Amino acid sequence: VADRLSLAADLHRALERNELVLHYQPQVNTQTGRIIGAEALVRWQHPTRGLVPPGVFIPVAEETGLIQPIGAWVIETACAQAREWAKAGIPLPTISVNVSVRQFMRKDLIDTLVKILRHTQIDAQTLELEVTESLIMKNAEEFVSTLKKLKDVGIKIAIDDFGTGYSSLSYLKRMPVDRLKVDQSFVRDINKDPESATIVEAIINLGHSLKLGVIAEGVETAQQLAFLRHRGCEEFQGYHFSRPV
Ligand code: C2E
Ligand code: MG
Ligand code: MG
């Protein structure tokens, strides 16, 4: 408890002290051989603890309400970076940003996003929000209406960690999402565990039947890649291609 409290106190100052940094992990399409986007992943360069991973401080940010300013900073910074890359002659088709429940359910989400897009001069189509499956299913009705507003603006949506939550397929059908992101826990085991292999195959088929993009995350080996490609998946993210950099 003491440790968490001290982390929370430090986190309050992290933004103003410029201690948050974004790393970017490329996403590739193996059919075209091109980088199709990058996912922004936040880290906290803590003065004494060193680099703190998001799994440690994002939950604290959610509990304390700091997820709001931190989340806005992440989106703004990622969009500004995408703009820099475009100016440097290396435009990225997509920049993906993770958004947590507390952020997603805010009434001012769309306003914040529109402001950021205008400010950073980024096309709405360039921005993709990654939301987890559990978030969606917990608040499905509300989620569908927010999704529709995001669609109107032109922002894309990916369902992160797909397969680990509790999906209602009837909601999935009604939701204007663009991509499913196959969770890395299944990808990790596809070559050793027949159940994981079957689940991954089913997710790929489900996504394609619903005319959604399917991207596999956590691809670390050539064998995993070969399996996924053989099953019709062509978009990937993982250490096999690049770590977050
Ligand atoms: P995620 O969105 O599912 O991100 C994928 C995680 O897997 C990242 O961990 C990434 O570094 C890691 N990863 C990528 N490729 C591989 C691989 O080949 N093998 C393995 N073992 N791992 C791989 P990271 O950066 O520690 O992020 C963890 C989670 O924290 C993310 O999971 C996401 O849910 C959350 N997160 C990260 N940045 C943000 C943010 O800006 N806002 C919010 N709300 N959550 C964030
Ligand atoms: Mg993600
Ligand atoms: Mg994920």
Side-chain angles (χ1 to χ4, degrees):
V1 170
D3 191 55
R4 230 169 147 89
L5 278 177
S6 97
L7 205 63
D10 291 351
L11 195 54
H12 268 282
R13 287 179 288 264
L15 261 181
E16 58 195 64
R17 290 184 185 170
N18 262 321
E19 291 170 358
L20 296 181
V21 286
L22 291 186
H23 288 183
Y24 298 89
Q25 188 174 33
Q27 301 174 338
V28 302
N29 181 310
T30 40
Q31 223 159 26
T32 58
R34 300 189 72 91
I35 292 181
I36 50 170
E39 178 177 11
L41 294 156
V42 70
R43 279 96 181 80
W44 178 11
Q45 187 62 64
H46 189 280
T48 56
R49 292 170 194 255
L51 204 64
V52 184
V56 172
F57 71 90
I58 290 291
V60 178
E62 293 217 320
E63 279 163 30
T64 54
L66 283 168
I67 193 64
Q68 186 51 28
I70 289 175
W73 178 87
V74 167
I75 299 170
E76 170 110 37
T77 306
C79 288
Q81 180 63 70
R83 174 84 187 139
E84 285 304 306
W85 281 325
K87 267 201 270 179
I90 37 171
L92 267 193
T94 304
I95 184 92
S96 304
V97 177
N98 296 284
V99 175
S100 61
V101 202
R102 291 273 300 262
Q103 246 178 306
F104 203 86
M105 289 305 157
R106 296 223 3 157
K107 297 257 175 306
D108 59 0
L109 175 77
I110 309 276
D111 287 347
T112 307
L113 289 169
V114 168
K115 251 181 239 155
I116 290 174
L117 290 173
R118 197 178 311 133
H119 187 207
T120 54
Q121 295 175 280
I122 284 288
D123 280 345
Q125 287 79 6
T126 307
L127 180 60
E128 178 181 72
L129 303 183
E130 291 191 4
V131 292
T132 59
E133 197 183 8
S134 46
L135 178 163
I136 301 170
M137 296 308 158
K138 251 185 254 160
N139 314 277
E141 284 301 338
E142 219 175 321
F143 188 81
V144 172
S145 92
T146 306
L147 272 190
K148 290 193 173 133
K149 286 181 209 146
L150 286 169
K151 271 286 93 111
D152 291 342
V153 177
I155 294 168
K156 290 188 281 189
I157 300 285
I159 304 186
D160 206 350
D161 306 340
F162 192 82
T164 59
Y166 186 62
S167 256
S168 150
L169 297 182
S170 65
Y171 273 124
L172 195 59
K173 191 184 70 179
R174 284 174 45 205
M175 283 176 187
V177 299
D178 299 276
R179 282 212 280 194
L180 303 181
K181 229 174 158 177
V182 183
D183 189 66
Q184 51 182 288
S185 62
F186 304 121
V187 175
R188 192 187 312 126
D189 297 333
I190 40 178
N191 299 107
K192 350 185 247 265
D193 167 24
E195 272 91 46
S196 291
T198 307
I199 291 170
V200 168
E201 202 171 345
I203 294 174
I204 295 169
N205 292 337
L206 174 72
H208 287 161
S209 313
L210 291 171
K211 308 260 181 318
L212 305 176
V214 178
I215 180 166
E217 70 177 338
V219 180
E220 295 184 354
T221 68
Q223 291 95 303
Q224 291 167 344
L225 180 65
F227 177 98
L228 290 158
R229 290 200 70 183
H230 188 66
R231 301 304 183 286
C233 185
E234 293 293 351
E235 297 185 357
F236 304 96
Q237 186 181 336
Y239 296 171
H240 180 68
F241 297 95
S242 170
R243 293 190 171 248
V245 286

